[in-house]
Amino acid sequence: MKQLSLYIILLLLAVACYDDLGNYDYTELNSVTVDSIQSNWYDKYSYADTLKINPVLNLALGGSEDHLKFEWRLIPLHDRYNKDSISVEEQSAGYIIGREKNLSYPLTEKPGDYAGFFYVKDTLTGISYKTDFYVRLRIAVSDGWMVLCEEAGKARLDMISYTSENEKLISYNIWEGLGMELGKPYKLVYNYNRTFGTSRLACCESGTFNLDPETLQPSDENNMIWQFSENPNKVEIVGGITMINSDPRREIVVTSEGELFWRKYDDLVNGIQFTFPVNRLEKSDEYFKVSRHIGYKPNYAWPNTCSVILYDETNRRFLALESMGKKDWWGNVTYEAKDYPNVLTFTGGTVDYDANTGKDLVHMEGTREGYVFAVLKTPGTEDYDIYGMITNIDYKVERTHYMRLLPANGDKIIHFAFHPVFRILYYATEQGDVYQFNLSTPEKKAEKILSFPGERISVMKFQCPVAYVAYEPWERAREYWLYVAGYDTACEESVSGIFRMYDFPQQTSAPVLKQEIKQLGKIIDIAYRFKNDYKK
């Protein structure tokens, strides 16, 4: 009887539930979608631009937007929550930049990359909808060409920044009113590096300064003497690289006296300074002078345990800064940094020459193809030879090119630049002319392609891209441009600088002038500062 009663009760409950289900009144949600927020980056300038976004809302069932609430947030991509400082709620509230549907927000944040979020909340249902966007925030000195100039015997820095392919900002004398004496300008050394922190070094008569990442201002605090344990009165750094993909990763610098220093990534993280110069062989007490020119695979070529090629100016020979490979029990190879360079040992190749050249190195650089090209001059003559090599994994270096440079005339050569892809050498003369020499046809003399009478060419180079930077197509195309900068000797120094940019549509085609910027300071050197360079 009890079992029957229980059965009747369960049956009645089931019927009641069925009746309840049948009485439900289903309501379709008036979902919200958002249009007109761009998917690519919003490129803006801090303290100059206002972020304006007018979203278009689409309600699935139509009707009024009166029941919707809005919230805009802007969060640094590289920000980290610190549990010891403030709560998540408080930190999140600090990112809110608007509560109206249409955003109009004056940007005052620091330069960098930001993630944006637009929230739409339906107060009738309690459901929120989110749309993402991205903002790249810069200041006038965030990225672009740093132009080191001289005016009345003192260092000056101008800046050329690009807001788009055809629009640019020019900032003149951004060190004006600095309050410290830098003296004459000598060199810009720029090392973009996400691992170590970027170095943007300005070498001047009073020393070398790692310019502030936000303002590009030098100061006593960022004087590079504090990075050396011997506490020198000043240090003049004229060359350097940071190997981020080598094993081990290390930062290398060369001083104006030819001293060579390096430190590993762990050293930098732990605050360890450059300790002692290593410009000697391991078992020798004889120090030699190292050239400021360094041969290596640029960052975009993924070095991967490749030699850093140096040149001993005292003994006129190629050197290599390598690591020592060690096998563990399972046969895996790890590398330990050698303290000192060694005389470069070649592993073969298509040409034959010795590391002991007996010649003076005047230029050396790596190309996008992975080659390292060097130009050497026979002492006491005007004879130049071109040496080519390629650096492979396990620190093996092969010889690939060896030829005589055939100049068009006897004009004094002052600058060299190798095309990043085409096997072409460009050189500039003291007379203000630029020549092109094709390594594929070495029997032909160089050909004059540009002439600037009455001008002094201070620097000539290609802009090598770096890894970890998102480029627009127009920015990527400019890595093939030749940049020629100098000054008009007849003009007042403060407005004598001229910066020209040339493209070469085909390998042997005539250069096409893309941009010309005049009335800069008397140009001494140039270096390109890349986006996302915000680390000290």
Side-chain angles (χ1 to χ4, degrees), residues 131-185:
T131 303
D132 303 344
F133 60 96
Y134 297 92
V135 177
R136 175 162 290 134
L137 190 56
R138 298 183 276 176
I139 56 177
V141 296
S142 292
D143 58 274
W145 284 101
M146 299 182 292
V147 184
L148 184 64
C149 307
E150 180 178 351
E151 184 177 349
K154 296 182 180 181
R156 154 182 166 174
L157 190 69
D158 293 352
M159 188 80 185
I160 305 169
S161 304
Y162 291 91
T163 57
S164 66
E165 181 176 4
N166 300 311
E167 296 178 337
K168 59 183 176 293
L169 295 174
I170 303 177
S171 303
Y172 300 96
N173 199 4
I174 64 176
W175 290 346
E176 187 174 14
L178 182 62
M180 62 183 298
E181 292 295 332
L182 299 177
K184 288 180 175 293

Side-chain angles (χ1 to χ4, degrees), residues 35-55:
D35 290 333
S36 75
I37 294 182
Q38 64 187 46
S39 57
N40 56 332
W41 291 83
Y42 287 92
D43 278 310
K44 299 293 180 180
Y45 281 82
S46 188
Y47 301 103
D49 286 338
T50 297
L51 181 61
K52 295 182 178 181
I53 306 178
N54 298 324

Side-chain angles (χ1 to χ4, degrees), residues 263-292:
R263 58 184 172 183
K264 292 190 291 187
Y265 168 66
D266 292 338
D267 295 339
L268 187 62
V269 169
N270 296 319
I272 299 175
Q273 301 162 308
F274 293 109
T275 52
F276 53 86
V278 296
N279 44 299
R280 63 180 178 90
L281 302 183
E282 184 173 10
K283 297 182 179 179
S284 172
D285 295 328
E286 178 189 353
Y287 284 87
F288 43 76
K289 185 175 181 179
V290 174
S291 170
R292 68 177 178 86

Side-chain angles (χ1 to χ4, degrees), residues 107-134:
L107 292 158
T108 58
E109 282 76 7
K110 292 183 178 180
D113 289 345
Y114 291 79
F117 304 96
F118 176 49
Y119 296 92
V120 180
K121 183 177 181 178
D122 189 330
T123 59
L124 300 179
T125 63
I127 298 176
S128 292
Y129 305 88
K130 179 173 68 73
T131 303
D132 303 344
F133 60 96
Y134 297 92

Side-chain angles (χ1 to χ4, degrees), residues 421-435:
V421 175
F422 302 149
R423 310 272 178 86
I424 294 178
L425 169 65
Y426 300 89
Y427 68 84
T429 69
E430 200 171 42
Q431 287 70 28
D433 299 324
V434 177
Y435 291 80

Side-chain angles (χ1 to χ4, degrees), residues 134-396:
Y134 297 92
V135 177
R136 175 162 290 134
L137 190 56
R138 298 183 276 176
I139 56 177
V141 296
S142 292
D143 58 274
W145 284 101
M146 299 182 292
V147 184
L148 184 64
C149 307
E150 180 178 351
E151 184 177 349
K154 296 182 180 181
R156 154 182 166 174
L157 190 69
D158 293 352
M159 188 80 185
I160 305 169
S161 304
Y162 291 91
T163 57
S164 66
E165 181 176 4
N166 300 311
E167 296 178 337
K168 59 183 176 293
L169 295 174
I170 303 177
S171 303
Y172 300 96
N173 199 4
I174 64 176
W175 290 346
E176 187 174 14
L178 182 62
M180 62 183 298
E181 292 295 332
L182 299 177
K184 288 180 175 293
Y186 296 145
K187 186 72 179 170
L188 285 175
V189 179
Y190 181 82
N191 286 324
Y192 176 92
N193 193 284
R194 290 182 64 182
T195 302
F196 285 90
T198 301
S199 297
R200 53 203 78 72
L201 306 181
C203 179
C204 302
E205 188 176 5
S206 62
T208 303
F209 302 86
N210 190 4
L211 304 179
D212 183 88
E214 188 171 339
T215 64
L216 287 186
Q217 297 292 309
S219 67
D220 290 330
E221 180 184 8
N222 55 33
N223 192 324
M224 286 299 292
I225 61 174
W226 310 121
Q227 299 298 316
F228 288 79
S229 59
E230 61 179 8
N231 296 321
N233 292 326
K234 75 172 182 177
V235 59
E236 295 179 356
I237 297 176
V238 294
I241 61 168
T242 304
M243 302 295 290
I244 59 174
N245 298 307
S246 62
D247 188 3
R249 298 169 290 180
R250 52 181 161 186
E251 180 185 22
I252 303 166
V253 296
V254 178
T255 70
S256 59
E257 283 122 18
E259 290 187 315
L260 175 70
F261 295 86
W262 70 266
R263 58 184 172 183
K264 292 190 291 187
Y265 168 66
D266 292 338
D267 295 339
L268 187 62
V269 169
N270 296 319
I272 299 175
Q273 301 162 308
F274 293 109
T275 52
F276 53 86
V278 296
N279 44 299
R280 63 180 178 90
L281 302 183
E282 184 173 10
K283 297 182 179 179
S284 172
D285 295 328
E286 178 189 353
Y287 284 87
F288 43 76
K289 185 175 181 179
V290 174
S291 170
R292 68 177 178 86
H293 298 288
I294 301 175
Y296 67 103
K297 279 188 176 182
N299 289 343
Y300 53 71
W302 299 97
N304 292 328
T305 64
C306 293
S307 291
V308 177
I309 299 175
L310 307 168
Y311 197 78
D312 173 0
E313 292 186 346
T314 305
N315 300 291
R316 297 188 172 102
R317 59 189 176 183
F318 286 109
L319 307 172
L321 188 59
E322 303 175 346
S323 294
M324 182 180 297
K326 293 183 178 181
K327 287 188 177 181
D328 59 20
W329 191 82
W330 294 275
N332 299 316
V333 179
T334 58
Y335 292 89
E336 180 180 347
K338 291 184 178 179
D339 289 335
Y340 300 94
N342 55 272
V343 178
L344 182 56
T345 300
F346 297 105
T347 59
T350 56
V351 297
D352 185 24
Y353 56 79
D354 194 77
N356 294 278
T357 68
K359 301 172 185 178
D360 296 325
L361 179 75
V362 294
H363 185 75
M364 182 163 60
E365 66 176 298
T367 71
R368 185 173 179 179
E369 289 185 297
Y371 290 98
V372 171
F373 287 111
V375 181
L376 294 100
K377 181 181 178 184
T378 303
T381 72
E382 293 300 318
D383 295 336
Y384 294 89
D385 294 298
I386 301 171
Y387 290 67
M389 59 200 86
I390 191 164
T391 56
N392 299 312
I393 60 173
D394 299 327
Y395 299 95
K396 296 178 180 179

